Amino acid sequence: MIDREQYTPGPASGAQVRKDGEKWTLILVRELRHSPEKVWQALTDPAHLREWAPFDADGSLGTVGATVKLTTVGAPRLHVSETTVTRADAPKVLEYNWGGFDMRWELEALGGGTRLTLWTNIDRRFISMGAAGWHICFDVLDHLLSGTPIGRIVGPDAMKFGGWQRLNAEYATQFGVETPSWPSGTSRMGT
């Protein structure tokens, strides 16, 4: 594992918001230097998810109809949600619900790599926070697939990370929303 202190997220980019009244959908696009098959495995295999995703899965997300428990990492209280995989068209499209939020992953072969697109509905008050968190998750995923893992950076750990605050503010500006306030009962740094 390389030193996580050497990691600095790049500028907020590759994200957009689709607004449909109160329902807002965050769309994040990242180009990865890895094949769709390799990215698919990272999106569906519990051992891979443990290395980069904001949740742990107790089974593979790679099969339609599979029921999987997703445990949010770093939540103030234990948060486990059960999901059923509604679409698993390997290695192109994966759909399920995580904690009440629809998740749609699209993988498109691009040269020798993959264009990965995540579509997820997020409460509009926290959409910039979600974009910042997923941005860092995608960076960690890219490092993992490149063989230079830096370790999962999610939840309160991500919020303490210097690059997260910057990304949150940059995405808020891009989306035309106020930078969200920190949850009550915690300080700005989550300590």
Side-chain angles (χ1 to χ4, degrees), residues 1-2 33-34 38 140-150:
M1 189 175 329
I2 68 168
R33 302 172 302 241
H34 316 284
K38 192 171 181 181
V140 171
L141 171 62
D142 193 36
H143 275 279
L144 175 67
L145 294 175
S146 296
T148 57
I150 58 176

Side-chain angles (χ1 to χ4, degrees), residues 23-37:
K23 184 177 180 183
W24 287 23
T25 301
L26 173 65
I27 305 162
L28 277 167
V29 179
R30 179 68 62 94
E31 291 182 6
L32 302 169
R33 302 172 302 241
H34 316 284
S35 71
E37 292 78 14

Side-chain angles (χ1 to χ4, degrees), residues 101-116:
F101 300 104
D102 294 326
M103 307 286 292
R104 177 183 173 92
W105 299 89
E106 296 179 358
L107 296 79
E108 178 185 345
L110 183 70
T114 302
R115 176 179 288 130
L116 177 63

Side-chain angles (χ1 to χ4, degrees), residues 13-78:
S13 64
Q16 60 178 296
V17 174
R18 289 245 171 100
K19 302 172 185 175
D20 182 14
E22 288 299 307
K23 184 177 180 183
W24 287 23
T25 301
L26 173 65
I27 305 162
L28 277 167
V29 179
R30 179 68 62 94
E31 291 182 6
L32 302 169
R33 302 172 302 241
H34 316 284
S35 71
E37 292 78 14
K38 192 171 181 181
V39 175
W40 178 266
Q41 185 177 13
L43 295 177
T44 59
D45 179 80
H48 283 84
L49 290 164
R50 256 190 310 279
E51 298 295 322
W52 70 272
F55 55 79
D56 287 330
D58 74 347
S60 173
L61 292 168
T63 306
V64 171
T67 300
V68 180
K69 287 185 179 151
L70 304 178
T71 304
T72 303
V73 176
R77 295 181 311 273
L78 182 64

Side-chain angles (χ1 to χ4, degrees), residues 16-28 54-55 79 83 86 94-105 117-131 134 175:
Q16 60 178 296
V17 174
R18 289 245 171 100
K19 302 172 185 175
D20 182 14
E22 288 299 307
K23 184 177 180 183
W24 287 23
T25 301
L26 173 65
I27 305 162
L28 277 167
F55 55 79
H79 183 78
T83 189
T86 55
L94 176 65
E95 294 179 1
Y96 55 90
N97 186 286
W98 173 42
F101 300 104
D102 294 326
M103 307 286 292
R104 177 183 173 92
W105 299 89
T117 304
L118 168 64
W119 302 65
T120 184
N121 58 315
I122 294 180
D123 185 311
R124 65 183 179 82
R125 295 170 299 164
F126 304 108
I127 203 150
S128 64
M129 294 172 77
W134 281 111
F175 301 157

Side-chain angles (χ1 to χ4, degrees), residues 82-93:
E82 193 168 270
T83 189
T84 300
V85 178
T86 55
R87 186 165 176 194
D89 180 11
K92 296 180 180 182
V93 181

